[in-house]
Amino acid sequence: MRYRGPVPPVLLSPRAAALLLTDWRAGADAPAYEALADALRVLVIDGRVAQGARLPAERGLAAALGVSRTTVANAYAQLRSDGFLVSVRGSGSVVHLPRDLVGRPDPERLGGVVEGDVLDLRKAALHAAPGIDEAVERAVRHVPAALAGIGYDTVGDPGLRTAIAARYTERGLPTDPAQVIVTIGAQHAIALLARVLVRRGDAVLVESPTYPHAHEAFREAGGRLVGVPVDAHRGWDAAALETALRRTAPSVAYVMPELHNPTGATMAASTRATLLSVATSVGTTVIADETMGELRIDGEPSPPLAAWPGGEDVVMIGSADKVFWGGLRIGWIRAAPALLQRLLLARPTGDLGTPVLDQLVVRELVPRTAAVLEARRASLREGRDQVVGALRARMPEWDVPSPAGGLTTWVGLGRPVSSALVLAARAEGVVLASGGVFGPDGGFERFLRVPFTMAPTDRGRLVDVLERAWERVGGESAGVRGSLAAVV
Ligand SMILES: Cc1ncc(COP(=O)(O)O)c(C=O)c1O
């Protein structure tokens, strides 16, 4: 089979592969080559070795793992025959995700509206923060002045832009209102940036897993996605990040360095430094999406990525929708005025401006961000601790991380049954997005994103339903336990 992957293969070094494969022999009574093939297959399915990566040469991997070259050759041969590896002339063995694991259609996403008494957790979002009704009342004072204008506003209300700039400045990133435009939520900001910065065929670096509507927007703009693994416990694979940047020189790197969605991970200072210096040297525009970034529960928040050394050119995306309320539909972009001009020129073909009355409300709210976050923190901590605690107690075989913030926990199920689990839970009225939705190249069938944003009275229902669904899925797939090869 000829490789038709989207970007030049990124080399996985023997050392990096050996680090990912630390436990490959654990508990395996199968021959060594089969255990190695299984371990590599899991890394691919979980997105920890990205689709399109080139595996080390057999001799190099054999030396790094302390096994014979025949073991590695047989493992690669097995992966090739299972459809997980393809040979590329001149480039060795390139990782490939078999078709049935790519972009697996997710019934929960395609289904759209769900009706009846359901707990819909496909969107991780909170109910409105207290004080929004008062902000609406206060905003009314500014309505007569707003009505004196024509109301088409692609740049943003000056008072709101001043408030957003002041918030960045308070967080350690001095900002002038001329560096800010207001958008219709952060999603609109992502799509607008994708349209302006990505040309058809450009490589675009995204995290893997990532926020799904971002990878969709970059793909729709013609980008060829390059995934960099992020893990709830270990964070970013910094070596893979650097290699991917150098090898593919993407036009854009879209990252969530603070409280990444869905894993809740926060990027280490050393990885930020690598990202910023390598991106600058290869001419990549870094976009840092902080939609979840202010929802910290434990520890101290980091300054925005653009405030880090070498981060001057980072484009920041923010949103009022997770902190205050999703119904506001207000986001923003902080960037150099020259880029903002390009965005404003491109904007009218998609929309003619942000609703003015909603901006007046958010203008009242942004100066109160710190107080609102204080209240949010308390309720998020309670939700996280209860949901994580109950899932750990009832499904001890799951890996249930307790993230330092954000709205979700990225649960490791241990087996590739996320879609089946989601379907079983849906039959009992709890609707979740399966792990694969978050993979830019599919995969993540062994993961489930579980929000802890629901009302306290719904937490018990979520955990009860997941426990029953897990029992059902366990029963159905008992025959394939322990052998991934049989499933994929
Ligand atoms: C990382 C990330 N970016 C952007 C968005 C979209 O945000 P908004 O509701 O402001 O459009 C979300 C929503 O979940 C998100 O998680």
Side-chain angles (χ1 to χ4, degrees):
M1 191 184 350
R2 269 192 70 73
Y3 172 71
R4 294 188 195 282
V7 284
V10 172
L11 173 68
L12 184 70
S13 70
R15 201 170 146 264
L19 283 173
L20 288 169
L21 285 164
T22 39
D23 295 330
W24 68 277
R25 279 180 196 273
D29 38 21
Y33 80 90
E34 264 182 32
L36 180 57
D38 264 355
L40 283 165
R41 202 181 285 112
V42 169
L43 289 174
V44 175
I45 292 172
D46 288 356
R48 293 180 58 205
V49 172
Q51 169 149 229
R54 171 157 52 112
L55 291 191
E58 291 166 11
R59 192 187 302 278
L61 184 57
L65 294 178
V67 298
S68 75
R69 186 174 166 187
T70 316
T71 298
V72 178
N74 288 342
Y76 282 11
Q78 166 113 49
L79 290 171
R80 239 176 239 115
S81 84
D82 294 343
F84 279 86
L85 264 191
V86 290
S87 300
V88 182
R89 195 169 308 159
S91 290
S93 302
V94 171
V95 167
H96 177 260
L97 205 55
R99 219 196 176 120
D100 55 342
L101 288 172
V102 177
R104 181 182 284 257
D106 187 315
E108 304 322 321
R109 257 172 94 207
L110 297 177
V113 178
V114 284
E115 283 166 358
D117 175 28
V118 294
L119 180 55
D120 187 351
L121 298 174
R122 289 171 298 181
K123 292 187 181 63
L126 295 159
H127 290 277
I132 296 198
D133 40 1
E134 284 107 338
V136 173
E137 279 162 24
R138 282 195 306 274
V140 167
R141 286 179 291 140
H142 303 292
V143 170
L147 293 180
I150 62 165
Y152 284 86
D153 179 17
T154 50
V155 180
D157 171 71
L160 174 55
R161 289 163 61 224
T162 302
I164 292 166
R167 175 71 188 152
Y168 277 123
T169 305
E170 187 178 293
R171 295 176 57 217
L173 177 61
T175 300
D176 187 278
Q179 292 170 279
V180 176
I181 63 169
V182 180
T183 58
I184 310 167
Q187 181 58 39
H188 174 228
I190 296 168
L192 185 59
L193 284 161
R195 195 144 59 83
V196 168
L197 294 177
V198 177
R199 297 229 185 90
R200 194 150 292 281
D202 282 0
V204 174
L205 186 143
V206 293
E207 291 143 335
S208 180
T210 186
Y211 163 60
H213 301 311
H215 73 67
E216 287 166 345
F218 288 114
R219 191 168 269 136
E220 218 167 271
R224 299 179 300 168
L225 304 187
V226 183
V228 167
V230 180
D231 179 273
H233 302 291
R234 288 176 291 263
W236 281 251
D237 183 335
L241 175 64
E242 176 165 2
T243 313
L245 282 169
R246 289 198 192 285
R247 193 65 206 244
T248 68
S251 55
V252 163
Y254 167 83
V255 292
M256 291 166 272
E258 195 77 2
L259 304 172
H260 170 263
N261 179 11
T263 64
T266 289
M267 194 184 277
S270 58
T271 309
R272 289 177 198 241
T274 303
L275 166 66
L276 295 176
S277 73
V278 182
T280 304
S281 73
V282 300
T284 297
T285 302
V286 177
I287 299 176
D289 182 347
E290 289 195 318
T291 300
M292 295 283 186
E294 292 232 56
L295 297 167
R296 182 158 285 283
I297 303 173
D298 302 327
E300 288 303 308
S302 331
L305 191 63
W308 288 67
E312 302 73 29
D313 295 331
V314 171
V315 177
M316 304 292 310
I317 293 178
S319 174
D321 299 332
K322 300 291 181 191
V323 173
F324 301 111
W325 183 45
L328 291 165
R329 310 304 316 133
I330 297 287
W332 53 85
I333 299 171
R334 180 200 184 275
L339 173 57
L340 296 183
Q341 279 310 320
R342 288 173 61 201
L343 297 173
L344 292 174
L345 282 174
R347 187 169 176 171
T349 56
D351 75 285
L352 294 176
T354 313
V356 170
L357 301 184
D358 304 37
Q359 292 188 70
L360 296 182
V361 175
V362 177
R363 171 173 150 179
E364 297 296 323
L365 290 168
V366 171
R368 293 167 174 77
T369 303
V372 170
L373 286 175
E374 204 46 53
R376 286 292 203 210
R377 210 179 334 272
S379 67
L380 278 176
R381 175 174 288 118
E382 187 192 289
R384 176 198 64 182
D385 291 350
Q386 280 192 15
V387 169
V388 166
L391 291 176
R392 283 178 177 170
R394 307 269 278 276
M395 268 73 69
E397 64 275 45
W398 287 6
D399 168 35
V400 186
S402 178
L407 303 174
T408 63
T409 172
W410 182 239
V411 172
L413 303 172
R415 288 189 285 133
V417 291
S418 190
S419 303
L421 185 66
V422 161
L423 279 175
R426 184 184 184 140
E428 298 213 31
V430 170
V431 187
L432 291 147
S434 65
V437 170
F438 301 89
D441 297 314
F444 296 105
E445 258 297 276
R446 303 192 324 139
F447 291 86
L448 181 68
R449 188 185 79 163
V450 182
F452 41 80
T453 47
M454 68 292 296
T457 46
D458 283 327
R459 289 174 195 147
R461 176 179 175 191
L462 165 75
V463 177
D464 287 347
V465 165
L466 279 177
E467 185 177 27
R468 286 196 294 274
W470 180 243
E471 271 166 24
R472 218 161 336 135
V473 167
E476 277 167 17
S477 61
V480 299
R481 222 173 272 196
S483 168
L484 271 171
V487 186
V488 290

mmCIF file of all heavy atoms in Angstrom, residues 124 184-188 190 211 254 256 261 289 291-292 317-322 326 329-331 449, ligand 1:
data_model
loop_
_atom_site.group_PDB
_atom_site.id
_atom_site.type_symbol
_atom_site.label_atom_id
_atom_site.label_comp_id
_atom_site.label_asym_id
_atom_site.label_seq_id
_atom_site.Cartn_x
_atom_site.Cartn_y
_atom_site.Cartn_z
ATOM 1 N N ALA A 124 -19.412 20.611 27.507
ATOM 2 C CA ALA A 124 -18.983 20.851 28.879
ATOM 3 C C ALA A 124 -19.137 22.342 29.139
ATOM 4 O O ALA A 124 -18.364 23.151 28.633
ATOM 5 C CB ALA A 124 -17.524 20.423 29.048
ATOM 6 N N ILE A 184 -17.878 36.485 17.826
ATOM 7 C CA ILE A 184 -19.116 35.829 18.287
ATOM 8 C C ILE A 184 -18.719 34.502 18.938
ATOM 9 O O ILE A 184 -18.855 33.432 18.360
ATOM 10 C CB ILE A 184 -20.075 35.612 17.097
ATOM 11 C CG1 ILE A 184 -20.232 36.926 16.333
ATOM 12 C CG2 ILE A 184 -21.436 35.103 17.578
ATOM 13 C CD1 ILE A 184 -20.888 36.758 14.984
ATOM 14 N N GLY A 185 -18.179 34.595 20.126
ATOM 15 C CA GLY A 185 -17.671 33.409 20.819
ATOM 16 C C GLY A 185 -16.267 33.060 20.323
ATOM 17 O O GLY A 185 -15.789 33.569 19.305
ATOM 18 N N ALA A 186 -15.613 32.176 21.083
ATOM 19 C CA ALA A 186 -14.263 31.753 20.712
ATOM 20 C C ALA A 186 -14.281 30.893 19.455
ATOM 21 O O ALA A 186 -13.327 30.881 18.686
ATOM 22 C CB ALA A 186 -13.630 30.984 21.868
ATOM 23 N N GLN A 187 -15.364 30.166 19.232
ATOM 24 C CA GLN A 187 -15.431 29.316 18.045
ATOM 25 C C GLN A 187 -15.322 30.159 16.777
ATOM 26 O O GLN A 187 -14.624 29.807 15.829
ATOM 27 C CB GLN A 187 -16.744 28.508 18.042
ATOM 28 C CG GLN A 187 -16.885 27.578 16.852
ATOM 29 C CD GLN A 187 -15.731 26.579 16.773
ATOM 30 O OE1 GLN A 187 -15.276 26.064 17.801
ATOM 31 N NE2 GLN A 187 -15.240 26.320 15.579
ATOM 32 N N HIS A 188 -16.002 31.284 16.773
ATOM 33 C CA HIS A 188 -15.924 32.194 15.633
ATOM 34 C C HIS A 188 -14.490 32.705 15.462
ATOM 35 O O HIS A 188 -13.983 32.808 14.339
ATOM 36 C CB HIS A 188 -16.912 33.348 15.870
ATOM 37 C CG HIS A 188 -16.851 34.434 14.860
ATOM 38 N ND1 HIS A 188 -16.796 35.759 15.213
ATOM 39 C CD2 HIS A 188 -16.812 34.407 13.521
ATOM 40 C CE1 HIS A 188 -16.740 36.497 14.107
ATOM 41 N NE2 HIS A 188 -16.755 35.700 13.073
ATOM 42 N N ILE A 190 -11.737 31.119 16.240
ATOM 43 C CA ILE A 190 -10.927 30.028 15.668
ATOM 44 C C ILE A 190 -11.173 29.936 14.165
ATOM 45 O O ILE A 190 -10.249 29.870 13.354
ATOM 46 C CB ILE A 190 -11.284 28.674 16.338
ATOM 47 C CG1 ILE A 190 -10.924 28.686 17.825
ATOM 48 C CG2 ILE A 190 -10.600 27.521 15.625
ATOM 49 C CD1 ILE A 190 -11.506 27.512 18.614
ATOM 50 N N TYR A 211 -9.763 20.019 21.052
ATOM 51 C CA TYR A 211 -11.149 20.483 21.012
ATOM 52 C C TYR A 211 -11.684 20.267 19.586
ATOM 53 O O TYR A 211 -11.119 20.807 18.627
ATOM 54 C CB TYR A 211 -11.168 21.961 21.437
ATOM 55 C CG TYR A 211 -12.409 22.709 21.092
ATOM 56 C CD1 TYR A 211 -13.652 22.310 21.576
ATOM 57 C CD2 TYR A 211 -12.358 23.823 20.269
ATOM 58 C CE1 TYR A 211 -14.798 23.006 21.239
ATOM 59 C CE2 TYR A 211 -13.490 24.527 19.941
ATOM 60 C CZ TYR A 211 -14.718 24.106 20.426
ATOM 61 O OH TYR A 211 -15.846 24.785 20.082
ATOM 62 N N TYR A 254 -2.093 25.403 16.870
ATOM 63 C CA TYR A 254 -3.240 25.752 17.720
ATOM 64 C C TYR A 254 -3.106 24.957 19.021
ATOM 65 O O TYR A 254 -3.120 23.719 18.996
ATOM 66 C CB TYR A 254 -4.557 25.405 17.009
ATOM 67 C CG TYR A 254 -5.764 25.430 17.918
ATOM 68 C CD1 TYR A 254 -6.422 26.619 18.202
ATOM 69 C CD2 TYR A 254 -6.235 24.258 18.516
ATOM 70 C CE1 TYR A 254 -7.522 26.645 19.051
ATOM 71 C CE2 TYR A 254 -7.330 24.271 19.370
ATOM 72 C CZ TYR A 254 -7.971 25.467 19.625
ATOM 73 O OH TYR A 254 -9.056 25.487 20.475
ATOM 74 N N MET A 256 -3.783 24.722 23.550
ATOM 75 C CA MET A 256 -4.489 25.156 24.771
ATOM 76 C C MET A 256 -3.525 24.920 25.937
ATOM 77 O O MET A 256 -3.620 23.910 26.631
ATOM 78 C CB MET A 256 -5.760 24.330 24.956
ATOM 79 C CG MET A 256 -6.831 24.618 23.937
ATOM 80 S SD MET A 256 -8.128 23.361 23.954
ATOM 81 C CE MET A 256 -7.464 22.161 22.812
ATOM 82 N N ASN A 261 -8.380 21.265 26.833
ATOM 83 C CA ASN A 261 -9.622 20.520 26.636
ATOM 84 C C ASN A 261 -9.348 19.415 25.619
ATOM 85 O O ASN A 261 -8.933 19.716 24.509
ATOM 86 C CB ASN A 261 -10.694 21.487 26.096
ATOM 87 C CG ASN A 261 -12.037 20.809 25.834
ATOM 88 O OD1 ASN A 261 -12.250 19.673 26.227
ATOM 89 N ND2 ASN A 261 -12.932 21.517 25.162
ATOM 90 N N ASP A 289 -5.516 29.147 22.748
ATOM 91 C CA ASP A 289 -6.947 29.257 23.059
ATOM 92 C C ASP A 289 -7.115 29.107 24.576
ATOM 93 O O ASP A 289 -6.825 28.051 25.135
ATOM 94 C CB ASP A 289 -7.706 28.150 22.311
ATOM 95 C CG ASP A 289 -9.214 28.220 22.535
ATOM 96 O OD1 ASP A 289 -9.664 28.951 23.435
ATOM 97 O OD2 ASP A 289 -9.945 27.525 21.802
ATOM 98 N N THR A 291 -10.038 29.525 26.200
ATOM 99 C CA THR A 291 -11.462 29.454 26.540
ATOM 100 C C THR A 291 -11.682 28.763 27.892
ATOM 101 O O THR A 291 -12.519 29.171 28.687
ATOM 102 C CB THR A 291 -12.218 28.707 25.417
ATOM 103 O OG1 THR A 291 -12.026 29.433 24.214
ATOM 104 C CG2 THR A 291 -13.698 28.608 25.715
ATOM 105 N N MET A 292 -10.911 27.694 28.150
ATOM 106 C CA MET A 292 -11.002 26.989 29.434
ATOM 107 C C MET A 292 -9.971 27.528 30.434
ATOM 108 O O MET A 292 -9.977 27.159 31.601
ATOM 109 C CB MET A 292 -10.690 25.500 29.237
ATOM 110 C CG MET A 292 -11.666 24.752 28.391
ATOM 111 S SD MET A 292 -13.153 24.399 29.337
ATOM 112 C CE MET A 292 -14.008 23.375 28.151
ATOM 113 N N ILE A 317 -6.758 33.711 22.131
ATOM 114 C CA ILE A 317 -8.221 33.663 21.994
ATOM 115 C C ILE A 317 -8.815 33.555 23.391
ATOM 116 O O ILE A 317 -8.337 32.765 24.213
ATOM 117 C CB ILE A 317 -8.655 32.419 21.184
ATOM 118 C CG1 ILE A 317 -8.199 32.531 19.732
ATOM 119 C CG2 ILE A 317 -10.174 32.238 21.242
ATOM 120 C CD1 ILE A 317 -8.553 31.316 18.887
ATOM 121 N N GLY A 318 -9.839 34.359 23.667
ATOM 122 C CA GLY A 318 -10.528 34.270 24.953
ATOM 123 C C GLY A 318 -12.028 34.227 24.739
ATOM 124 O O GLY A 318 -12.521 34.417 23.614
ATOM 125 N N SER A 319 -12.764 33.967 25.823
ATOM 126 C CA SER A 319 -14.215 33.838 25.707
ATOM 127 C C SER A 319 -14.895 34.193 27.023
ATOM 128 O O SER A 319 -14.362 33.907 28.099
ATOM 129 C CB SER A 319 -14.570 32.399 25.341
ATOM 130 O OG SER A 319 -15.966 32.219 25.356
ATOM 131 N N ALA A 320 -16.075 34.786 26.907
ATOM 132 C CA ALA A 320 -16.888 35.027 28.095
ATOM 133 C C ALA A 320 -17.792 33.830 28.385
ATOM 134 O O ALA A 320 -18.467 33.781 29.411
ATOM 135 C CB ALA A 320 -17.765 36.267 27.860
ATOM 136 N N ASP A 321 -17.796 32.856 27.473
ATOM 137 C CA ASP A 321 -18.873 31.868 27.484
ATOM 138 C C ASP A 321 -18.719 30.757 28.520
ATOM 139 O O ASP A 321 -19.709 30.223 28.999
ATOM 140 C CB ASP A 321 -19.032 31.284 26.074
ATOM 141 C CG ASP A 321 -19.398 32.380 25.076
ATOM 142 O OD1 ASP A 321 -20.024 33.367 25.506
ATOM 143 O OD2 ASP A 321 -19.047 32.259 23.889
ATOM 144 N N LYS A 322 -17.481 30.386 28.858
ATOM 145 C CA LYS A 322 -17.314 29.352 29.890
ATOM 146 C C LYS A 322 -17.287 29.993 31.276
ATOM 147 O O LYS A 322 -17.781 29.433 32.232
ATOM 148 C CB LYS A 322 -16.022 28.561 29.670
ATOM 149 C CG LYS A 322 -15.951 27.836 28.344
ATOM 150 C CD LYS A 322 -16.918 26.678 28.245
ATOM 151 C CE LYS A 322 -16.756 26.005 26.882
ATOM 152 N NZ LYS A 322 -17.797 25.052 26.575
ATOM 153 N N GLY A 326 -22.645 30.491 28.448
ATOM 154 C CA GLY A 326 -22.535 30.170 27.026
ATOM 155 C C GLY A 326 -23.508 30.948 26.155
ATOM 156 O O GLY A 326 -23.269 31.159 24.960
ATOM 157 N N ARG A 329 -22.378 34.274 23.993
ATOM 158 C CA ARG A 329 -21.754 34.173 22.665
ATOM 159 C C ARG A 329 -20.785 35.318 22.384
ATOM 160 O O ARG A 329 -20.823 35.937 21.322
ATOM 161 C CB ARG A 329 -22.814 34.103 21.536
ATOM 162 C CG ARG A 329 -23.930 33.095 21.699
ATOM 163 C CD ARG A 329 -23.463 31.679 21.893
ATOM 164 N NE ARG A 329 -22.389 31.268 21.023
ATOM 165 C CZ ARG A 329 -21.297 30.628 21.466
ATOM 166 N NH1 ARG A 329 -21.126 30.337 22.755
ATOM 167 N NH2 ARG A 329 -20.372 30.280 20.621
ATOM 168 N N ILE A 330 -19.917 35.608 23.324
ATOM 169 C CA ILE A 330 -18.923 36.663 23.115
ATOM 170 C C ILE A 330 -17.518 36.082 23.353
ATOM 171 O O ILE A 330 -17.247 35.503 24.406
ATOM 172 C CB ILE A 330 -19.134 37.851 24.088
ATOM 173 C CG1 ILE A 330 -20.488 38.527 23.864
ATOM 174 C CG2 ILE A 330 -17.985 38.874 23.945
ATOM 175 C CD1 ILE A 330 -20.598 39.363 22.619
ATOM 176 N N GLY A 331 -16.656 36.248 22.349
ATOM 177 C CA GLY A 331 -15.251 35.873 22.491
ATOM 178 C C GLY A 331 -14.393 37.005 21.981
ATOM 179 O O GLY A 331 -14.909 38.077 21.629
ATOM 180 N N ARG A 449 -14.520 11.451 27.672
ATOM 181 C CA ARG A 449 -14.490 12.752 28.369
ATOM 182 C C ARG A 449 -15.732 12.863 29.243
ATOM 183 O O ARG A 449 -16.846 12.807 28.742
ATOM 184 C CB ARG A 449 -14.450 13.899 27.367
ATOM 185 C CG ARG A 449 -14.232 15.233 28.062
ATOM 186 C CD ARG A 449 -14.308 16.398 27.120
ATOM 187 N NE ARG A 449 -15.678 16.747 26.805
ATOM 188 C CZ ARG A 449 -16.062 17.904 26.281
ATOM 189 N NH1 ARG A 449 -15.178 18.823 25.986
ATOM 190 N NH2 ARG A 449 -17.327 18.149 26.012
HETATM 191 C C1 LIG B 1 -11.089 25.097 23.845
HETATM 192 C C2 LIG B 1 -12.355 25.712 23.363
HETATM 193 N N1 LIG B 1 -12.305 26.706 22.470
HETATM 194 C C3 LIG B 1 -13.416 27.298 22.017
HETATM 195 C C4 LIG B 1 -14.670 26.900 22.447
HETATM 196 C C5 LIG B 1 -15.873 27.605 21.931
HETATM 197 O O1 LIG B 1 -16.174 28.622 22.813
HETATM 198 P P1 LIG B 1 -17.370 29.652 22.613
HETATM 199 O O2 LIG B 1 -18.552 29.091 23.316
HETATM 200 O O3 LIG B 1 -16.879 30.942 23.216
HETATM 201 O O4 LIG B 1 -17.600 29.798 21.129
HETATM 202 C C6 LIG B 1 -14.767 25.853 23.376
HETATM 203 C C7 LIG B 1 -16.073 25.389 23.830
HETATM 204 O O5 LIG B 1 -16.192 24.359 24.417
HETATM 205 C C8 LIG B 1 -13.582 25.254 23.845
HETATM 206 O O6 LIG B 1 -13.611 24.267 24.742
#
